[in-house]
Each structure stands twice: as structure tokens, then as C-alpha cells.
Amino acid sequence: MKLPRQFFAPLAIGAPAPMRELPVRLERMIHFVPPHLEKLRAKVPELAGQVDVVLGNLEDAIPVEAKEAARNGFIAMAKAVDYGVTGLWTRINALNSPWALDDVIEIVGAVGDRLDVIMLPKVDGPWDIHYLDQLLAQLEARHKIKNPILIHAILETAQGVNNIEAIASASPRMHGMSLGPADLAASRAMKTTRVGGGHPEYKVLADANGDAPRPAYQQDLWHYTVGRMVDACAASGIKPFYGPFGDFSDAAACEAQFRNAFLMGCLGAWSLHPSQIAIAKKVFSPDPAEVAFAKAIVAAMPDGAGAVMIDGKMQDDATWKQAKVLLDLAKLVAAKDPEMAARYGL
Ligand code: GLV
Ligand code: MG
């Protein structure tokens, strides 16, 4: 076990010190761009003003023959745009692939000072994080990078789910985790053919009542995993995210899946299609009515202690803390979005 004092020591001479706290940033949608496609890359300057995070995807969905073009395209788009407060991430190829090493070496060498986060797919255990952690420290030292590049793990293997707490606390470089429902379904041998979302056959049937029709209630296939992910992330002080929703034709189902994740503690989701940007923005910005109620709680209990009744509902120290979570998030949204600031009255 690494000793506590060594946990925050740089892993290479000349590498920046690991961050003690994560930067406070709004990350409601991580928008995926396939960087080998020049036409889509050309939209990045405009996109950067519309989303919270722009991610250049190098892994799955990028054809094998375009892997290098995607890597070079990401470097070009990282250099071409001033991202301001918008995050710049890349999803590299898996560590066991022929591309991962060059993805990291070339990208950090070329644009390591512009890159906020590397998303690492198919993380099985803390050993994957340790490997990338050490490699990044060596490259940061070599290229004199000032701010540590963070790591975001995709939770998409059964082994990764088994090792979730160890992954979440593997390094101070850990930014957070996203659920990867498509690979996770395959890894678990689930009998589905979807990228996230529910399944009409995953349901509970109401008890029989004579010959009366028996209603069936669809359940959330991802509830268990999102719950584990949220607890592992919260316990380690890192951020949980829902990942992809592949049915672009079903905005309502996407919104419902994102909202379940938001209510359970997630801070954002991936947008794979432009139509999902607005959905994520709506879902992961707190509802103004909830924010108004949170304000009422804080106003009624300025020191956060005791008990009061508001609209017949008991409030105490614990609801005050919940209200603070909503208000802090609303303030973050308001700082970026004047329209939401007005709706929140902030
Ligand atoms: C994402 O990478 C997934 O596999 O769902
Ligand atoms: Mg995947």
C-alpha cells in the first residue's frame, strides 16, 4: 500500500504536484467529436461555446484505419481553438491496444498543456490507473507541463465494477468515472443490443388478480451500477457521470435515463449527437423550482442546524446539506449561463 505521505508526491522528477482538490468546473455534457473527420472538426470552434466539455474520441467508433488520423486530428483541434472555460478531453484507446502508448506520448507531447482530462476506457483495476499515472508524470516532466492531466475511467467491464472502489481511489489524478453501458453489457453477457437505456423486457409483473390484466413495470437496468459508481466516486471525492445513450431518435428515453443518473448523484453525461447537448443541459442544470425550495431551506436555517417546517415538510441539518448541493450547482450553472442565473434569481 502506498503510504499517505507519498500519495501526493509527483511520480517523476519535474512533474507538477498532484492536485489536492479537483478544479470546480461545470461538466454537464461531455461532447464526443470524431477528430478524423475534418468536416466535424471544423465545427469545434462553434461547439466549444455551446458545451461544457469537448472530447476528441480516439477509441471505439473510430475505424482502425483512421486511428492515426483521429489522433492527429485531435492534436490539430486542440491547437486551433481557445477553449476558455470549456474542458478539453480525449478518450484514448484501451491500454491493451496497439495505439494507446502513441496516443498518450504524442498528444501529451504536442498539446499536454491544453489537455484537461484523459478518458481511459476498459479500466479493469487500479493497476490500469497506476500505469497511466506514472506515464503521464514522466511525460509532464519531459514537456514541462504545469497542470497535472487528470484521468477519467470508463466503468465498462465486470472486473472494473468489482474493483470500483480501488479504481476511484487509485491516484490523486482521478477526475471521475463514466458508466459505459455498451461494453459493460457485453462484458457481463447481458442479452441486449443497445447503447445504454432501458429494455422493455426488464420488468416486474404485478401480482395476479383473477383474470384482470396484470400491469408490468419496466425497471432500470443500470440502477445497480450507477448506485455503486456514485458511492465509489463520492467516497473518493471524484465525479460520477452517466455515459452514452445510443438511440438518438428517442429524446424522451435519453432524458429519462440522464435524469435518473442526475437524481442519483451524477454530474453529467456524454452527448454523442448534437440533439443530446440540450437534453444534458436541461437535465444536469438543477430545476429552478428545486433551487427556489433549496434557497428557502437555507434562508430558514442560516446556520444549517436545528429543525424547521416548510410547506408541511420537515427540514433539518441533512436537508440543509442537500439544499447546499443544489445551490452550489445552481451557482456554477448561473456563472456560465445568464438565462439560468435569471431563472434561479442568482
Ligand atoms: C462506452 O464506451 C460504452 O461502452 O458504453
Ligand atoms: Mg465502451
Side-chain angles (χ1 to χ4, degrees):
M1 191 194 95
K2 189 173 266 197
L3 297 172
R5 193 170 292 132
Q6 285 161 359
F7 193 70
F8 286 100
L11 293 181
I13 297 165
M19 292 178 187
R20 299 229 163 210
E21 296 294 337
L22 288 177
V24 178
R25 290 185 97 154
L26 199 55
E27 290 162 337
R28 295 166 297 182
M29 74 297 292
I30 301 163
H31 190 74
F32 273 52
V33 175
H36 59 301
L37 301 176
E38 209 174 330
K39 208 172 113 200
L40 293 182
R41 242 178 26 236
K43 297 191 173 164
V44 169
E46 194 191 335
L47 189 71
Q50 294 164 359
V51 301
D52 295 337
V53 175
V54 174
L55 177 144
N57 178 30
L58 311 185
E59 199 224 9
D60 291 357
I62 305 300
V64 165
E65 63 280 7
K67 290 289 186 188
E68 275 158 35
R71 186 193 298 145
N72 294 333
F74 176 71
I75 291 171
M77 73 183 233
K79 284 183 176 162
V81 179
D82 176 5
Y83 288 86
V85 294
T86 302
L88 177 65
W89 299 19
T90 183
R91 177 169 80 165
I92 61 168
N93 288 286
L95 292 178
N96 64 357
S97 75
W99 308 288
L101 183 61
D102 289 336
D103 287 347
V104 181
I105 290 176
E106 291 188 20
I107 287 172
V108 176
V111 291
D113 50 351
R114 301 187 139 234
L115 185 65
D116 296 300
V117 176
I118 289 184
M119 183 182 272
L120 183 62
K122 305 189 175 60
V123 174
D124 282 328
W127 50 87
D128 294 321
I129 307 299
H130 295 155
Y131 169 80
L132 184 58
D133 196 9
Q134 184 70 61
L135 179 59
L136 283 172
Q138 290 169 330
L139 292 169
E140 286 167 349
R142 173 181 288 175
H143 299 289
K144 303 191 175 25
I145 288 163
K146 300 262 176 321
N147 293 315
I149 297 163
L150 300 178
I151 301 174
H152 182 103
I154 312 182
L155 185 62
E156 55 181 353
T157 68
Q159 209 186 345
V161 177
N162 269 356
N163 291 320
I164 192 164
E165 289 89 3
I167 293 168
S169 59
S171 158
R173 224 185 258 284
M174 283 300 294
H175 162 277
M177 240 181 247
S178 286
L179 171 72
D183 270 301
L184 186 53
S187 171
R188 284 175 171 161
M190 288 167 64
K191 308 302 179 289
T192 54
T193 52
R194 299 170 172 221
V195 177
H199 193 289
E201 295 307 317
Y202 191 69
K203 62 195 179 191
V204 173
L205 194 63
D207 284 1
N209 177 16
D211 292 333
R214 297 172 66 181
Y217 302 97
Q218 196 175 323
Q219 309 291 300
D220 184 354
L221 271 172
W222 303 107
H223 178 79
Y224 157 79
T225 318
V226 171
R228 285 205 61 183
M229 180 177 71
V230 168
D231 282 343
C233 288
S236 289
I238 67 169
K239 301 179 182 180
F241 292 76
Y242 180 80
F245 190 91
D247 185 351
F248 303 153
S249 69
D250 196 346
C254 176
E255 183 172 333
Q257 186 76 68
F258 283 8
R259 183 160 289 108
N260 285 351
F262 175 68
L263 287 169
M264 283 186 73
C266 291
L267 289 167
W270 303 0
S271 47
L272 300 183
H273 186 270
S275 65
Q276 294 180 334
I277 296 173
I279 300 174
K281 200 175 267 191
K282 175 174 166 202
V283 170
F284 293 100
S285 306
D287 176 14
E290 285 280 52
V291 173
F293 196 69
K295 276 187 182 174
I297 295 173
V298 171
M301 300 171 62
D303 59 1
V308 295
M309 297 297 289
I310 301 178
D311 299 344
K313 301 181 186 79
M314 188 207 70
Q315 312 299 329
D316 66 1
D317 309 47
T319 52
W320 185 90
K321 289 177 195 154
Q322 293 175 47
K324 278 282 291 168
V325 169
L326 275 171
L327 272 179
D328 288 349
L329 182 56
K331 284 179 191 157
L332 209 54
V333 173
K336 188 164 185 187
D337 184 337
E339 192 195 317
M340 288 309 286
R343 293 184 67 198
Y344 294 147
L346 288 171

